[in-house]
Structure formats: C-alpha cells, structure tokens
Amino acid sequence: MTTRRRLPWQDPAGRFSPFKLAVFVLLFVPAIVIAARYESGELGARPVNEAVHQIGNWTLKLILISLAISPGRAILKWPRLMQVRRMVGVAAFAYAAIHLTLYAADEAFDLRKVGLEIVLRIYLTIGFMALLILAALAVTSTDGMMRRLGGPRWRRLHRLVYVAALLGVVHFFMQTKANAAEPYVMAGLLAWLMGWRLLAWRGLRDARWARWWAMILAMLAAAGTAVGEAVYFWIRLGVPPSRLLAANITFTAGIRPAVVVFAICMAAALAGVLRPPAAARVSPAAD
C-alpha cells in the first residue's frame, strides 16, 4: 500500500497548514529579491558574481535556521516547528545548487574550468563538499528513504548537516576578502547550535531548563566569537587582542560580531521566557 505524498503546505495529517504555507512562501523570498535586484541592475559591476555571493550567504543562513528548529521547539515549547525542518533543509540544498550554477554561469559555463577551480582552490573544494552533503541529505529526506535506511542509520546520516554547516562557515570565511564580520557571526551561531547538540548528546539538557541553557550558551558563544575574532586580527594584522576584546564592550569599532551573536541567541532564549504558556499547546506530530 502506497502512502499518499503530502504537499508542502499540508500538516502530517494531510490538512492545510497556514503555518507551513507561510514558511514555504518565505523560502522563495530571498531568491526572488536577488533576482529582482539583478534585473534592476542593483548588483553592481559584476551582477552574476554578486548574486553568487548573496545566494551562498542565504544557503548558510538556511542551514543554520534548519539547525535552530530543534532548540527552538524546546525553548519555545512549540512542537509544530519540527514540521518545517525538512522543508528548510531541502531549501538550503536548492540554494546551494543555485549557488554552484551561478558560479558556473559567471565562468561562462566552462565546466572544465569550473571543475579545475573546485579541485585547485581549497575554499571551493570545501564548499563543494558541503554541497555534496546537502545533496545526500535532500535525497534521503523523504519518508520512504527514512524507512529504507532505518531510523538509526538515517539519523546518523543526517547528523552530517553539522559537518555541512561547518564546511559552509569555513568556505564563507575563506572567500571573504574584506569584511570578515558576517562569517564570524555565522561561526558564533553555529557554536551555539553545536553547544546545544552537545548537551543533548551528553544527556545534560532538561526541557525544564532549556531556556537557561540557551542563555548560558549565548554567553559562551559570544565569548568564543570575541576571542576568535581577536586572535584572527592579532595573527593577521598584529592588532593587540585586548584592543579588539575591549571594542566589544566600548563599541569604539562599531557593533562587533560577538555582540550580534549574543543578541540573537539571547533574544531566542528570552522569547521562550516571554512566550505565553497557553501558546505552548501540543501540535500534530512532526514530519
């Protein structure tokens, strides 16, 4: 007996879900905005190259959003969030595939040259490895593949998303030639997400304390981001680490990545604290 395939905007029971439809539509928005900016000539002197970078940026953001869904469910006590995790993950792969396609377009679809660049340039090799992982996860994301692989093996395979995220952050950092602030924000958020996963693996995360763990991890991720940035500028430019660490408090050099990481992670934790208990009702089972 075959199982009827659900549409993206249907919940696990096959009913229409406004929540899933809203997420499905929102996943198209970044690509549409970038395409519109390309058509209007707002992407600069090298529009295809700029589109490559912006799509790649959104690929990494979507990977991090997909990883944030599980802690978001625990912090907000909102099980329905799990219904869109698969959708966001597949969208991340779609954006990664568009990223590679646009890169090939920027090279006039000279596939030999593209292949050589991927082999010879380490940051492109790293990015391509992340794409291959995302492709494997997208192909095996269906219920049918989950049954074929078996639950434990499927879960082990899909933990590779953390490897893809790490490779994506490294790829982003290495190809950033000027301002490295945004890659550090991405790295800090990934550190928070990995910390959350580590607590789960060690059995230290209790649902009753999820919000407090989120706050502690926010502080640790922000501190790690600040130290990492300070060490980078010390090695690369000789800037005394104390000077950059102080800039996170004095704001003499603008808002630093560590502050952004702390604000995002702490906002997520506080959202859980402020969420009304009545809103944390039981939802249909996750996909």
Side-chain angles (χ1 to χ4, degrees):
M1 180 178 176
T2 58
T3 304
R4 185 172 177 269
R5 187 182 296 274
R6 293 194 303 271
L7 296 172
W9 46 83
Q10 291 179 320
D11 66 14
R15 299 184 297 262
F16 172 72
S17 169
F19 171 62
K20 293 191 71 174
L21 176 62
V23 173
F24 181 71
V25 171
L26 285 173
L27 290 172
F28 287 91
V29 171
I32 293 171
V33 170
I34 293 168
R37 294 189 66 206
Y38 174 86
E39 280 295 318
S40 63
E42 296 178 38
L43 295 184
R46 298 183 60 191
V48 177
N49 183 263
E50 180 61 23
V52 169
H53 293 309
Q54 291 192 19
I55 288 290
N57 187 305
W58 271 102
T59 300
L60 187 51
K61 287 177 180 176
L62 288 172
I63 294 173
L64 295 179
I65 290 170
S66 71
L67 292 176
I69 287 175
S70 182
R73 173 191 60 177
I75 294 167
L76 299 175
K77 295 185 178 179
W78 191 14
R80 189 162 40 152
L81 270 178
M82 296 298 289
Q83 295 180 18
V84 299
R85 184 171 62 177
R86 179 188 307 182
M87 188 190 302
V88 176
V90 172
F93 164 68
Y95 273 73
I98 295 171
H99 179 60
L100 178 61
T101 302
L102 288 174
Y103 175 72
D106 198 39
E107 299 293 343
F109 288 105
D110 185 343
L111 299 186
R112 181 178 178 277
K113 181 179 179 182
V114 170
L116 285 174
E117 291 283 300
I118 290 173
V119 171
L120 298 176
R121 296 196 179 192
I122 184 63
Y123 81 92
L124 292 178
T125 307
I126 290 171
F128 189 68
M129 290 170 59
L131 172 62
L132 292 179
I133 292 173
L134 292 176
L137 300 185
V139 168
T140 58
S141 66
T142 63
D143 293 336
M145 287 302 298
M146 189 185 300
R147 287 192 295 270
R148 290 188 190 96
L149 291 173
R153 189 163 56 170
W154 186 89
R155 283 189 291 273
R156 283 195 299 271
L157 173 64
H158 279 253
R159 287 182 188 135
L160 288 176
V161 67
Y162 286 93
V163 178
L166 179 59
L167 292 174
V169 168
V170 173
H171 170 75
F172 187 20
F173 184 85
M174 291 180 71
Q175 63 88 38
T176 302
K177 297 179 175 61
N179 183 11
E182 193 167 11
Y184 270 111
V185 172
M186 301 288 195
L189 294 176
L190 179 60
W192 187 93
L193 292 165
M194 289 299 294
W196 183 273
R197 177 56 61 186
L198 181 61
L199 290 174
W201 285 340
R202 297 298 299 272
L204 300 175
R205 194 199 73 224
D206 189 301
R208 293 171 299 176
W209 297 94
R211 298 157 187 171
W212 295 107
W213 277 122
M215 292 181 186
I216 294 169
L217 288 173
M219 291 184 281
L220 292 175
T225 303
V227 171
E229 186 188 28
V231 170
Y232 170 81
F233 280 100
W234 176 43
I235 295 173
R236 185 78 179 268
L237 302 175
V239 178
S242 58
R243 180 178 167 188
L244 203 60
L245 288 172
N248 287 282
I249 301 172
T250 61
F251 301 104
T252 54
I255 298 177
R256 305 311 305 162
V259 177
V260 177
V261 170
F262 180 77
I264 293 173
C265 297
M266 191 58 72
L270 291 176
V273 173
L274 299 174
R275 182 171 172 80
R281 58 186 178 276
V282 176
S283 305
D287 279 353

